[in-house]
Amino acid sequence: MKKMLMLILWGVSAMVLTGCGVGTPDAEGWRSTQKEEFLAILKTDKYASICNQQALYEKVKESENSKLMSKLLVSYAKNLANGCIDLESFNASQEKRVEEKIATYYETYMQEVKASDIMRKLKAGQSIEEILKPYVPEYTQFFDLQKRYKLLGGDKNTSKKTLRKIRLNLERLKLMKPGLGDNYALVNIPEYTVRVIDTNGTAVAMAVVVGQRKMQTPIFSADLSYVTLNPQWGVPDSIARNEVIPKLLKDPNYLVDHNMVIRKSYDLNTTAVSQDSVDWEAYLVEEQNLTEMTYKFIEVPSKKNGLGRVKFIFPNKHSVYMHDTQAKHLFKRKVRTYSHGCVRLEKPVVMLDHISKHYTENTPEEVKEWYDSLETHHMGLTKKLPVHTSYLTTYVDECGDLLVFNDIYGFDKSQKLNF
């Protein structure tokens, strides 16, 4: 009996040493379990990333050729990481819009996918799920939309237009900034809605006003840095040039009526500039081509300030932020494209309350005292909260309903799938 047991153990050892057995890789580095796993993922297109590799998939399915399978695995990872939108044609369309004087910006967060890294992990015996994991979008919305896409794809009554619209938004989610984290704020521009999402789901949701069609709210990601109570408004040079100065020329009382002052910087503590000391018509001509203008217009803090009583700053090159507004009536409208690019909040105090309680060390008493003072105060965050301005024309909401929105900036038309 003992001798027989020794022979069995010797046989098993020999199989391992000679490269036999289920876990042994072939010349390309594939193990049978990895092949089975990858084929199962491809069968349902689990991560919606076969895209433009359908012909290659058919060859792999038929032959299970290891070299072809390696090629498809790398392509699948790239499609998962960076989406299946034809970015070359989209970027060309964006450049054309800029030439037409449309302020538009759409950041795509591209990830580096190296074939050598994929193959190294494969040969090391990692599962296909482990290999693909770094490229899978962390947004739960990706999986919600994917489920709905598959469900409707099996329904003969679903139009191709609807399926394409859902698929386009799946690809947009792939292009959003990775490293999402558990908590984040999501501004969905076509929905005119902002949500603060945490581990338990949507904690705060409210209506927003976004940028006009020719002055669009840019699509990008940045971390919320601080909150300003009773802010001053440093009027951007473009608005000063195109709106404030022309109105000032027509109405000498414009600045007084709108609580505005003039400085040579956006610092209220610097020397005041008299309105009457400048020839504004000549000034417009002299500085029409300058990137930065000499004189700055500032709306001082007040209950009537254009930014309202609070603004939420996530520093970015676009000078875009979320803020309160005096134009509350706009939230009753279905279409809310009225800002110069910033995001106006329907319930800024609700947002202030949530952020201050969960993301700062300030007490509710401190926050109320600062708010009521009508003096400017800044609150820094002690906990990270990324803010993503997004463009999703389909969205599965908190009740599990598929919502479909109008293509207000025309990205559904200018972004084309590559398959």
Side-chain angles (χ1 to χ4, degrees):
M1 182 71 177
K2 188 175 181 181
K3 191 173 181 180
M4 186 178 293
L5 183 61
M6 290 294 290
L7 285 169
I8 293 170
L9 289 172
W10 179 85
V12 171
S13 300
M15 285 176 68
V16 173
L17 291 171
T18 56
C20 299
V22 175
T24 304
D26 62 17
E28 185 70 14
W30 284 88
R31 292 166 172 78
S32 59
T33 52
Q34 291 170 317
K35 282 191 171 185
E36 289 171 8
E37 183 187 9
F38 190 35
L39 288 170
I41 289 171
L42 293 170
K43 186 176 181 179
T44 60
D45 197 7
K46 183 175 180 179
Y47 298 114
S49 293
I50 293 178
C51 301
N52 55 355
Q53 299 298 319
Q54 186 65 38
L56 179 57
Y57 168 53
E58 295 299 330
K59 290 179 181 178
V60 165
K61 187 168 61 170
E62 183 180 339
S63 68
E64 295 191 22
N65 179 278
S66 293
K67 285 189 176 180
L68 292 178
M69 198 168 274
S70 296
K71 185 178 179 181
L72 182 56
L73 177 59
V74 173
S75 295
Y76 198 87
K78 287 181 177 179
N79 286 342
L80 179 55
N82 298 318
C84 300
I85 291 173
D86 182 352
L87 292 180
E88 186 176 348
S89 68
F90 174 60
N91 291 335
S93 73
Q94 286 291 89
E95 289 174 9
K96 187 176 180 181
R97 287 183 173 197
V98 172
E99 290 173 3
E100 295 170 351
K101 306 298 181 185
I102 296 174
T104 182
Y105 183 87
Y106 198 115
E107 181 76 38
T108 53
Y109 293 89
M110 309 298 287
Q111 299 182 68
E112 185 178 24
V113 181
K114 291 184 178 179
S116 57
D117 289 342
I118 299 289
M119 295 310 298
R120 176 178 53 79
K121 291 177 181 179
L122 182 79
K123 291 173 182 178
Q126 287 192 20
S127 70
I128 304 303
E129 288 287 2
E130 287 174 324
I131 294 170
L132 294 177
K133 187 177 180 180
Y135 314 115
V136 177
E138 297 169 272
Y139 301 85
T140 55
Q141 190 61 207
F142 176 78
F143 300 99
D144 292 340
L145 275 180
Q146 169 78 326
K147 288 177 185 176
R148 193 55 58 96
Y149 180 71
K150 288 182 178 179
L151 181 65
L152 292 177
D155 185 346
K156 294 180 181 179
N157 295 320
T158 305
S159 68
K160 290 183 179 179
K161 184 178 179 181
T162 298
L163 285 175
R164 181 192 175 278
K165 195 175 182 82
I166 297 172
R167 185 56 188 260
L168 196 54
N169 286 284
L170 274 174
E171 302 308 322
R172 286 173 180 155
L173 286 160
K174 294 178 188 177
L175 289 169
M176 289 177 67
K177 190 174 182 178
L180 173 65
D182 293 329
N183 305 341
Y184 58 93
L186 183 71
V187 180
N188 190 19
I189 294 167
E191 187 183 3
Y192 309 111
T193 298
V194 61
R195 295 175 175 85
V196 178
I197 298 170
D198 60 23
T199 51
N200 296 317
T202 300
V204 172
M206 68 185 69
V208 298
V209 169
V210 299
Q212 302 163 33
R213 287 176 174 83
K214 290 195 173 183
M215 302 183 74
Q216 299 173 4
T217 298
I219 285 79
F220 71 103
S221 298
D223 291 342
L224 188 65
S225 179
Y226 62 96
V227 180
T228 300
L229 300 171
N230 301 308
Q232 66 177 49
W233 180 38
V235 180
D237 287 343
S238 59
I239 298 177
R241 182 183 285 116
N242 298 320
E243 298 181 31
V244 175
I245 296 176
K247 289 176 180 176
L248 170 60
L249 288 169
K250 291 180 180 179
D251 178 9
N253 294 319
Y254 180 81
L255 297 186
V256 174
D257 292 343
H258 290 80
N259 294 312
M260 287 186 181
V261 295
I262 308 168
R263 300 286 190 271
K264 285 193 173 181
S265 76
Y266 288 118
D267 185 355
L268 274 174
N269 295 319
T270 56
T271 305
V273 175
S274 169
Q275 167 185 327
D276 299 327
S277 67
V278 181
D279 182 340
W280 294 107
E281 285 192 44
Y283 174 73
L284 275 181
V285 175
E286 290 167 5
E287 306 216 355
Q288 61 182 340
N289 296 318
L290 292 184
T291 304
E292 187 159 333
M293 299 179 76
T294 301
Y295 298 111
K296 305 298 182 185
F297 294 85
I298 304 170
E299 185 179 1
V300 299
S302 74
K303 290 183 178 180
K304 294 182 179 180
N305 186 284
L307 298 181
R309 305 292 301 283
V310 59
K311 67 176 180 178
F312 303 84
I313 305 297
F314 39 106
N316 58 83
K317 65 182 180 182
H318 312 286
S319 299
V320 164
Y321 43 85
M322 297 187 292
H323 66 90
D324 187 5
T325 177
Q326 299 297 326
K328 306 289 187 184
H329 65 281
L330 294 179
F331 293 106
K332 295 178 181 178
R333 300 185 182 183
K334 289 184 178 180
V335 176
R336 296 192 290 274
T337 49
Y338 295 101
S339 82
H340 291 87
C342 283
V343 178
R344 302 177 190 174
L345 301 174
E346 178 190 26
K347 301 173 183 176
V349 175
V350 173
M351 184 69 78
L352 172 63
D353 182 60
H354 182 78
I355 298 297
S356 62
K357 281 182 180 177
H358 299 281
Y359 296 90
T360 80
E361 293 180 346
N362 301 99
T363 65
E365 292 75 21
E366 279 180 315
V367 176
K368 186 178 187 308
E369 182 182 345
W370 290 347
Y371 185 86
D372 292 341
S373 72
L374 287 180
E375 294 179 356
T376 302
H377 291 275
H378 305 288
M379 289 194 307
L381 269 66
T382 55
K383 182 179 174 182
K384 185 176 179 180
L385 183 68
V387 178
H388 309 285
T389 58
S390 64
Y391 195 86
L392 301 173
T393 50
T394 60
Y395 190 93
V396 178
D397 70 5
E398 294 76 10
C399 299
D401 295 325
L402 178 67
L403 308 179
V404 180
F405 310 109
N406 291 331
D407 183 23
I408 59 174
Y409 289 167
F411 291 140
D412 279 3
K413 292 180 181 177
S414 60
Q415 292 180 337
K416 303 183 186 306
L417 297 171
N418 66 9
F419 60 96

